[in-house]
Amino acid sequence: MNIRSIVAGVLLLIASAGPALAQNKPYVIGYDETKGLFAGVTFVHYDRGHGTQVEYMAKNGKAHLFYPGNKTVLHGRWKLERTNKPKVFNLCFSYPNSYNPITGHSEGWECQPAGFALTDVVDSVDGDVLGLAKRDAVPFVLSKRKARLADLLRKVK
């Protein structure tokens, strides 16, 4: 699944909502549909604060983060939580023995609306293409500069 697939899926969901909207019934993407956007996918994220990050979110709830400057892959967990708003789910991560230099958060679960997590996606693909789940040492030291998945894959091979 790449970013185009995600956008196409969202547009398809909006288009399929047509009959519901015509009847003044809002279309609500469900929990399972939302979870399916993340489970089993490797994401390349970029923002000015963190730089480029690569994260594989396994279907079993394990998360594996390749973070700029780190020498090891961070292994943690992810989950999708329901909120009191039927259209909003929180995407949560917990990386033991880690520190988020942007939020100042360490230990425990850190959550954000799931849709927000897609706003800084540069690339995405089904599967663990960098083998993050099976490694402790990073394949190379990741720079903070913006990078595409293809560039990162070339460095691994």
Side-chain angles (χ1 to χ4, degrees):
M1 177 184 313
N2 59 36
I3 192 67
R4 287 187 196 116
S5 298
I6 292 171
V7 171
V10 169
L11 292 175
L12 181 61
L13 289 172
I14 291 169
S16 67
L21 292 175
Q23 299 170 7
N24 293 326
K25 294 180 182 177
Y27 179 79
V28 179
I29 183 171
Y31 178 87
D32 291 335
E33 292 168 302
T34 303
K35 191 171 183 181
L37 293 174
F38 299 98
V41 178
T42 295
F43 290 95
V44 177
H45 297 272
Y46 176 80
D47 67 53
R48 283 192 247 163
H50 292 286
T52 293
Q53 300 177 75
V54 181
E55 188 163 39
Y56 172 60
M57 298 170 60
K59 291 180 181 181
N60 65 3
K62 293 185 179 180
H64 311 279
L65 179 63
F66 182 12
Y67 191 83
N70 282 8
K71 294 180 181 176
T72 59
V73 174
L74 295 174
H75 300 287
R77 297 179 303 164
W78 75 276
K79 65 182 177 180
L80 192 66
E81 287 185 336
R82 297 178 192 277
T83 68
N84 60 355
K85 298 176 184 172
K87 296 180 186 179
V88 179
F89 303 98
N90 281 334
L91 183 61
C92 305
F93 295 93
S94 175
Y95 285 103
N97 303 313
S98 67
Y99 173 74
N100 184 329
I102 303 305
T103 65
H105 184 87
S106 61
E107 300 300 317
W109 290 97
E110 190 170 13
C111 302
Q112 65 182 346
F116 183 74
L118 296 173
T119 61
D120 65 357
V121 172
V122 174
D123 282 316
S124 63
V125 65
D126 286 337
D128 184 10
V129 295
L130 292 176
L132 299 179
K134 295 179 182 171
R135 27 171 115 235
D136 288 320
V138 296
F140 56 89
V141 176
L142 186 60
S143 125
K144 287 185 81 168
R145 286 182 305 219
K146 188 172 187 177
R148 307 284 316 197
L149 183 59
D151 300 328
L152 303 176
L153 287 170
R154 277 194 287 279
K155 286 187 172 191
V156 173
K157 295 181 180 183

